[in-house]
PDB file of all heavy atoms in Angstrom:
ATOM      1  N   GLU A  53     131.273  59.537  41.279  1.00  0.00           N
ATOM      2  CA  GLU A  53     130.405  58.900  40.233  1.00  0.00           C
ATOM      3  C   GLU A  53     130.744  57.454  40.268  1.00  0.00           C
ATOM      4  O   GLU A  53     131.945  57.084  40.256  1.00  0.00           O
ATOM      5  CB  GLU A  53     130.685  59.546  38.860  1.00  0.00           C
ATOM      6  CG  GLU A  53     129.812  58.764  37.805  1.00  0.00           C
ATOM      7  CD  GLU A  53     129.836  59.283  36.421  1.00  0.00           C
ATOM      8  OE1 GLU A  53     130.652  60.311  36.239  1.00  0.00           O
ATOM      9  OE2 GLU A  53     129.235  58.798  35.512  1.00  0.00           O
ATOM     10  N   ASP A  54     129.730  56.524  40.346  1.00  0.00           N
ATOM     11  CA  ASP A  54     129.825  55.116  40.210  1.00  0.00           C
ATOM     12  C   ASP A  54     128.554  54.609  39.737  1.00  0.00           C
ATOM     13  O   ASP A  54     127.436  55.217  40.085  1.00  0.00           O
ATOM     14  CB  ASP A  54     130.263  54.492  41.507  1.00  0.00           C
ATOM     15  CG  ASP A  54     130.674  53.031  41.394  1.00  0.00           C
ATOM     16  OD1 ASP A  54     130.758  52.592  40.159  1.00  0.00           O
ATOM     17  OD2 ASP A  54     131.070  52.400  42.282  1.00  0.00           O
ATOM     18  N   ASN A  55     128.500  53.532  39.092  1.00  0.00           N
ATOM     19  CA  ASN A  55     127.251  52.871  38.573  1.00  0.00           C
ATOM     20  C   ASN A  55     126.354  53.847  37.813  1.00  0.00           C
ATOM     21  O   ASN A  55     125.155  53.858  37.936  1.00  0.00           O
ATOM     22  CB  ASN A  55     126.501  52.329  39.870  1.00  0.00           C
ATOM     23  CG  ASN A  55     125.344  51.383  39.478  1.00  0.00           C
ATOM     24  OD1 ASN A  55     125.529  50.579  38.612  1.00  0.00           O
ATOM     25  ND2 ASN A  55     124.226  51.471  40.296  1.00  0.00           N
ATOM     26  N   ASN A  56     126.858  54.771  37.070  1.00  0.00           N
ATOM     27  CA  ASN A  56     126.237  55.751  36.352  1.00  0.00           C
ATOM     28  C   ASN A  56     125.436  56.713  37.182  1.00  0.00           C
ATOM     29  O   ASN A  56     124.588  57.327  36.671  1.00  0.00           O
ATOM     30  CB  ASN A  56     125.422  55.124  35.222  1.00  0.00           C
ATOM     31  CG  ASN A  56     126.138  54.364  34.267  1.00  0.00           C
ATOM     32  OD1 ASN A  56     127.148  54.895  33.766  1.00  0.00           O
ATOM     33  ND2 ASN A  56     125.741  53.289  33.784  1.00  0.00           N
ATOM     34  N   ILE A  57     125.856  56.842  38.422  1.00  0.00           N
ATOM     35  CA  ILE A  57     125.118  57.736  39.360  1.00  0.00           C
ATOM     36  C   ILE A  57     126.237  58.826  39.712  1.00  0.00           C
ATOM     37  O   ILE A  57     127.330  58.401  40.159  1.00  0.00           O
ATOM     38  CB  ILE A  57     124.733  57.071  40.650  1.00  0.00           C
ATOM     39  CG1 ILE A  57     123.673  55.918  40.347  1.00  0.00           C
ATOM     40  CG2 ILE A  57     124.066  58.039  41.633  1.00  0.00           C
ATOM     41  CD1 ILE A  57     122.444  56.297  39.794  1.00  0.00           C
ATOM     42  N   ILE A  58     125.917  60.034  39.589  1.00  0.00           N
ATOM     43  CA  ILE A  58     126.715  61.164  39.955  1.00  0.00           C
ATOM     44  C   ILE A  58     126.175  61.796  41.270  1.00  0.00           C
ATOM     45  O   ILE A  58     125.023  62.167  41.320  1.00  0.00           O
ATOM     46  CB  ILE A  58     126.770  62.267  38.903  1.00  0.00           C
ATOM     47  CG1 ILE A  58     127.262  61.699  37.527  1.00  0.00           C
ATOM     48  CG2 ILE A  58     127.624  63.498  39.279  1.00  0.00           C
ATOM     49  CD1 ILE A  58     127.253  62.618  36.390  1.00  0.00           C
ATOM     50  N   ARG A  59     126.914  61.787  42.198  1.00  0.00           N
ATOM     51  CA  ARG A  59     126.575  62.304  43.579  1.00  0.00           C
ATOM     52  C   ARG A  59     127.388  63.649  43.836  1.00  0.00           C
ATOM     53  O   ARG A  59     128.595  63.549  44.026  1.00  0.00           O
ATOM     54  CB  ARG A  59     126.751  61.381  44.739  1.00  0.00           C
ATOM     55  CG  ARG A  59     125.947  60.159  44.798  1.00  0.00           C
ATOM     56  CD  ARG A  59     124.553  60.716  45.253  1.00  0.00           C
ATOM     57  NE  ARG A  59     123.708  59.478  45.609  1.00  0.00           N
ATOM     58  CZ  ARG A  59     122.480  59.558  46.180  1.00  0.00           C
ATOM     59  NH1 ARG A  59     122.075  60.834  46.329  1.00  0.00           N
ATOM     60  NH2 ARG A  59     121.860  58.609  46.390  1.00  0.00           N
ATOM     61  N   HIS A  60     126.760  64.781  43.970  1.00  0.00           N
ATOM     62  CA  HIS A  60     127.267  65.969  44.431  1.00  0.00           C
ATOM     63  C   HIS A  60     127.098  66.012  45.916  1.00  0.00           C
ATOM     64  O   HIS A  60     125.876  65.988  46.424  1.00  0.00           O
ATOM     65  CB  HIS A  60     126.590  67.266  43.788  1.00  0.00           C
ATOM     66  CG  HIS A  60     126.937  67.381  42.407  1.00  0.00           C
ATOM     67  ND1 HIS A  60     126.392  66.638  41.364  1.00  0.00           N
ATOM     68  CD2 HIS A  60     127.675  68.262  41.687  1.00  0.00           C
ATOM     69  CE1 HIS A  60     126.880  66.966  40.178  1.00  0.00           C
ATOM     70  NE2 HIS A  60     127.643  68.088  40.466  1.00  0.00           N
ATOM     71  N   ILE A  61     128.185  66.055  46.725  1.00  0.00           N
ATOM     72  CA  ILE A  61     128.078  65.659  48.188  1.00  0.00           C
ATOM     73  C   ILE A  61     128.615  66.951  48.908  1.00  0.00           C
ATOM     74  O   ILE A  61     129.723  67.386  48.717  1.00  0.00           O
ATOM     75  CB  ILE A  61     128.873  64.457  48.549  1.00  0.00           C
ATOM     76  CG1 ILE A  61     128.405  63.180  47.756  1.00  0.00           C
ATOM     77  CG2 ILE A  61     128.880  64.232  50.001  1.00  0.00           C
ATOM     78  CD1 ILE A  61     129.132  62.028  47.972  1.00  0.00           C
ATOM     79  N   GLN A  62     127.721  67.379  49.866  1.00  0.00           N
ATOM     80  CA  GLN A  62     128.155  68.315  50.796  1.00  0.00           C
ATOM     81  C   GLN A  62     128.530  67.458  52.061  1.00  0.00           C
ATOM     82  O   GLN A  62     127.827  66.717  52.574  1.00  0.00           O
ATOM     83  CB  GLN A  62     127.131  69.329  51.136  1.00  0.00           C
ATOM     84  CG  GLN A  62     127.559  70.385  52.137  1.00  0.00           C
ATOM     85  CD  GLN A  62     126.502  71.482  52.257  1.00  0.00           C
ATOM     86  OE1 GLN A  62     125.281  71.337  52.104  1.00  0.00           O
ATOM     87  NE2 GLN A  62     126.951  72.661  52.734  1.00  0.00           N
ATOM     88  N   LEU A  63     129.787  67.650  52.481  1.00  0.00           N
ATOM     89  CA  LEU A  63     130.400  66.847  53.745  1.00  0.00           C
ATOM     90  C   LEU A  63     130.262  67.677  54.914  1.00  0.00           C
ATOM     91  O   LEU A  63     130.504  68.925  54.897  1.00  0.00           O
ATOM     92  CB  LEU A  63     131.834  66.417  53.407  1.00  0.00           C
ATOM     93  CG  LEU A  63     132.084  65.389  52.371  1.00  0.00           C
ATOM     94  CD1 LEU A  63     133.541  65.336  52.131  1.00  0.00           C
ATOM     95  CD2 LEU A  63     131.347  64.114  52.739  1.00  0.00           C
ATOM     96  N   LYS A  64     129.801  67.043  55.926  1.00  0.00           N
ATOM     97  CA  LYS A  64     129.754  67.657  57.282  1.00  0.00           C
ATOM     98  C   LYS A  64     130.507  66.705  58.204  1.00  0.00           C
ATOM     99  O   LYS A  64     130.454  65.569  57.993  1.00  0.00           O
ATOM    100  CB  LYS A  64     128.353  67.912  57.745  1.00  0.00           C
ATOM    101  CG  LYS A  64     127.511  68.765  56.897  1.00  0.00           C
ATOM    102  CD  LYS A  64     127.979  70.204  56.890  1.00  0.00           C
ATOM    103  CE  LYS A  64     127.136  71.174  56.156  1.00  0.00           C
ATOM    104  NZ  LYS A  64     127.655  72.453  56.295  1.00  0.00           N
ATOM    105  N   THR A  65     131.089  67.264  59.271  1.00  0.00           N
ATOM    106  CA  THR A  65     131.716  66.358  60.276  1.00  0.00           C
ATOM    107  C   THR A  65     131.345  66.741  61.766  1.00  0.00           C
ATOM    108  O   THR A  65     131.142  67.871  62.066  1.00  0.00           O
ATOM    109  CB  THR A  65     133.330  66.398  60.084  1.00  0.00           C
ATOM    110  OG1 THR A  65     133.673  67.694  60.419  1.00  0.00           O
ATOM    111  CG2 THR A  65     133.691  65.962  58.764  1.00  0.00           C
ATOM    112  N   SER A  66     131.412  65.804  62.594  1.00  0.00           N
ATOM    113  CA  SER A  66     131.308  65.966  64.003  1.00  0.00           C
ATOM    114  C   SER A  66     132.180  64.941  64.724  1.00  0.00           C
ATOM    115  O   SER A  66     132.281  63.755  64.275  1.00  0.00           O
ATOM    116  CB  SER A  66     129.841  65.837  64.463  1.00  0.00           C
ATOM    117  OG  SER A  66     129.040  66.784  64.077  1.00  0.00           O
ATOM    118  N   LYS A  67     132.711  65.330  65.885  1.00  0.00           N
ATOM    119  CA  LYS A  67     133.492  64.436  66.711  1.00  0.00           C
ATOM    120  C   LYS A  67     132.453  63.435  67.394  1.00  0.00           C
ATOM    121  O   LYS A  67     131.348  63.910  67.705  1.00  0.00           O
ATOM    122  CB  LYS A  67     134.190  65.205  67.893  1.00  0.00           C
ATOM    123  CG  LYS A  67     135.304  66.090  67.289  1.00  0.00           C
ATOM    124  CD  LYS A  67     136.150  66.664  68.356  1.00  0.00           C
ATOM    125  CE  LYS A  67     135.346  67.689  69.165  1.00  0.00           C
ATOM    126  NZ  LYS A  67     136.106  68.460  70.129  1.00  0.00           N
ATOM    127  N   LEU A  68     132.894  62.312  67.569  1.00  0.00           N
ATOM    128  CA  LEU A  68     132.035  61.259  68.347  1.00  0.00           C
ATOM    129  C   LEU A  68     131.708  61.754  69.682  1.00  0.00           C
ATOM    130  O   LEU A  68     132.511  62.447  70.384  1.00  0.00           O
ATOM    131  CB  LEU A  68     132.870  59.939  68.455  1.00  0.00           C
ATOM    132  CG  LEU A  68     132.149  58.779  68.996  1.00  0.00           C
ATOM    133  CD1 LEU A  68     131.129  58.361  68.111  1.00  0.00           C
ATOM    134  CD2 LEU A  68     133.165  57.677  69.225  1.00  0.00           C
ATOM    135  N   GLY A  69     130.407  61.811  69.955  1.00  0.00           N
ATOM    136  CA  GLY A  69     129.991  62.348  71.266  1.00  0.00           C
ATOM    137  C   GLY A  69     129.543  63.746  71.220  1.00  0.00           C
ATOM    138  O   GLY A  69     129.083  64.361  72.212  1.00  0.00           O
ATOM    139  N   ALA A  70     129.765  64.505  70.132  1.00  0.00           N
ATOM    140  CA  ALA A  70     129.410  65.934  69.944  1.00  0.00           C
ATOM    141  C   ALA A  70     127.948  66.023  70.073  1.00  0.00           C
ATOM    142  O   ALA A  70     127.127  65.169  69.803  1.00  0.00           O
ATOM    143  CB  ALA A  70     129.826  66.467  68.638  1.00  0.00           C
ATOM    144  N   LYS A  71     127.500  67.247  70.508  1.00  0.00           N
ATOM    145  CA  LYS A  71     126.091  67.468  70.804  1.00  0.00           C
ATOM    146  C   LYS A  71     125.524  68.166  69.509  1.00  0.00           C
ATOM    147  O   LYS A  71     124.253  68.666  69.724  1.00  0.00           O
ATOM    148  CB  LYS A  71     125.908  68.240  72.070  1.00  0.00           C
ATOM    149  CG  LYS A  71     126.483  67.634  73.257  1.00  0.00           C
ATOM    150  CD  LYS A  71     125.878  67.943  74.472  1.00  0.00           C
ATOM    151  CE  LYS A  71     126.436  67.301  75.674  1.00  0.00           C
ATOM    152  NZ  LYS A  71     126.975  65.951  75.627  1.00  0.00           N
ATOM    153  N   ALA A  72     126.044  68.198  68.431  1.00  0.00           N
ATOM    154  CA  ALA A  72     125.421  68.779  67.193  1.00  0.00           C
ATOM    155  C   ALA A  72     124.052  68.223  66.989  1.00  0.00           C
ATOM    156  O   ALA A  72     123.868  67.015  66.815  1.00  0.00           O
ATOM    157  CB  ALA A  72     126.288  68.729  66.060  1.00  0.00           C
ATOM    158  N   SER A  73     123.032  69.111  66.911  1.00  0.00           N
ATOM    159  CA  SER A  73     121.611  68.634  66.677  1.00  0.00           C
ATOM    160  C   SER A  73     121.108  68.858  65.227  1.00  0.00           C
ATOM    161  O   SER A  73     120.127  68.342  64.856  1.00  0.00           O
ATOM    162  CB  SER A  73     120.707  69.376  67.667  1.00  0.00           C
ATOM    163  OG  SER A  73     120.837  70.762  67.252  1.00  0.00           O
ATOM    164  N   GLY A  74     122.123  69.456  64.410  1.00  0.00           N
ATOM    165  CA  GLY A  74     121.693  69.685  62.969  1.00  0.00           C
ATOM    166  C   GLY A  74     122.841  70.163  62.196  1.00  0.00           C
ATOM    167  O   GLY A  74     123.937  70.364  62.689  1.00  0.00           O
ATOM    168  N   GLN A  75     122.547  70.494  60.967  1.00  0.00           N
ATOM    169  CA  GLN A  75     123.619  70.956  60.037  1.00  0.00           C
ATOM    170  C   GLN A  75     123.000  72.041  59.160  1.00  0.00           C
ATOM    171  O   GLN A  75     121.805  71.859  58.771  1.00  0.00           O
ATOM    172  CB  GLN A  75     124.248  69.848  59.159  1.00  0.00           C
ATOM    173  CG  GLN A  75     125.048  68.917  59.943  1.00  0.00           C
ATOM    174  CD  GLN A  75     126.371  69.469  60.487  1.00  0.00           C
ATOM    175  OE1 GLN A  75     126.835  70.563  60.105  1.00  0.00           O
ATOM    176  NE2 GLN A  75     127.055  68.625  61.312  1.00  0.00           N
ATOM    177  N   LYS A  76     123.870  73.010  58.707  1.00  0.00           N
ATOM    178  CA  LYS A  76     123.469  73.967  57.771  1.00  0.00           C
ATOM    179  C   LYS A  76     123.770  73.449  56.349  1.00  0.00           C
ATOM    180  O   LYS A  76     124.946  73.125  56.114  1.00  0.00           O
ATOM    181  CB  LYS A  76     124.100  75.324  58.121  1.00  0.00           C
ATOM    182  CG  LYS A  76     123.600  75.929  59.426  1.00  0.00           C
ATOM    183  CD  LYS A  76     124.293  77.167  59.700  1.00  0.00           C
ATOM    184  CE  LYS A  76     123.867  77.616  61.026  1.00  0.00           C
ATOM    185  NZ  LYS A  76     124.687  78.870  61.440  1.00  0.00           N
ATOM    186  N   VAL A  77     122.905  73.561  55.463  1.00  0.00           N
ATOM    187  CA  VAL A  77     123.143  73.089  53.981  1.00  0.00           C
ATOM    188  C   VAL A  77     122.712  74.024  53.018  1.00  0.00           C
ATOM    189  O   VAL A  77     121.796  74.886  53.250  1.00  0.00           O
ATOM    190  CB  VAL A  77     122.369  71.698  53.823  1.00  0.00           C
ATOM    191  CG1 VAL A  77     122.960  70.652  54.820  1.00  0.00           C
ATOM    192  CG2 VAL A  77     120.854  71.810  53.976  1.00  0.00           C
ATOM    193  N   ASN A  78     123.306  73.930  51.893  1.00  0.00           N
ATOM    194  CA  ASN A  78     123.049  74.961  50.802  1.00  0.00           C
ATOM    195  C   ASN A  78     121.963  74.406  49.875  1.00  0.00           C
ATOM    196  O   ASN A  78     121.964  73.266  49.448  1.00  0.00           O
ATOM    197  CB  ASN A  78     124.357  75.061  49.993  1.00  0.00           C
ATOM    198  CG  ASN A  78     124.357  76.352  48.992  1.00  0.00           C
ATOM    199  OD1 ASN A  78     123.377  76.459  48.334  1.00  0.00           O
ATOM    200  ND2 ASN A  78     125.332  77.085  49.113  1.00  0.00           N
ATOM    201  N   VAL A  79     120.895  75.296  49.653  1.00  0.00           N
ATOM    202  CA  VAL A  79     119.782  74.823  48.882  1.00  0.00           C
ATOM    203  C   VAL A  79     120.111  74.466  47.412  1.00  0.00           C
ATOM    204  O   VAL A  79     119.465  73.807  46.743  1.00  0.00           O
ATOM    205  CB  VAL A  79     118.571  75.898  48.948  1.00  0.00           C
ATOM    206  CG1 VAL A  79     118.042  75.934  50.328  1.00  0.00           C
ATOM    207  CG2 VAL A  79     119.036  77.131  48.318  1.00  0.00           C
ATOM    208  N   ARG A  80     121.195  75.148  47.018  1.00  0.00           N
ATOM    209  CA  ARG A  80     121.532  74.888  45.524  1.00  0.00           C
ATOM    210  C   ARG A  80     122.060  73.448  45.205  1.00  0.00           C
ATOM    211  O   ARG A  80     122.096  72.986  44.167  1.00  0.00           O
ATOM    212  CB  ARG A  80     122.686  75.935  45.085  1.00  0.00           C
ATOM    213  CG  ARG A  80     122.113  77.253  44.908  1.00  0.00           C
ATOM    214  CD  ARG A  80     123.057  78.227  44.329  1.00  0.00           C
ATOM    215  NE  ARG A  80     123.304  79.256  45.380  1.00  0.00           N
ATOM    216  CZ  ARG A  80     124.267  80.075  45.347  1.00  0.00           C
ATOM    217  NH1 ARG A  80     125.333  79.938  44.516  1.00  0.00           N
ATOM    218  NH2 ARG A  80     124.380  80.966  46.323  1.00  0.00           N
ATOM    219  N   LEU A  81     122.284  72.778  46.344  1.00  0.00           N
ATOM    220  CA  LEU A  81     122.723  71.357  46.230  1.00  0.00           C
ATOM    221  C   LEU A  81     121.525  70.590  45.576  1.00  0.00           C
ATOM    222  O   LEU A  81     121.691  69.534  44.913  1.00  0.00           O
ATOM    223  CB  LEU A  81     122.959  70.778  47.569  1.00  0.00           C
ATOM    224  CG  LEU A  81     123.881  69.553  47.665  1.00  0.00           C
ATOM    225  CD1 LEU A  81     125.094  69.573  46.907  1.00  0.00           C
ATOM    226  CD2 LEU A  81     124.109  69.106  49.107  1.00  0.00           C
TER     227      LEU A  81
END
């Protein structure tokens, strides 16, 4: 939370050069 904005964040990671084409995310977000 900053500037009166609350962010619920789902974090994803990939190594530099990884071939990941997408991410799976939770709809409840």
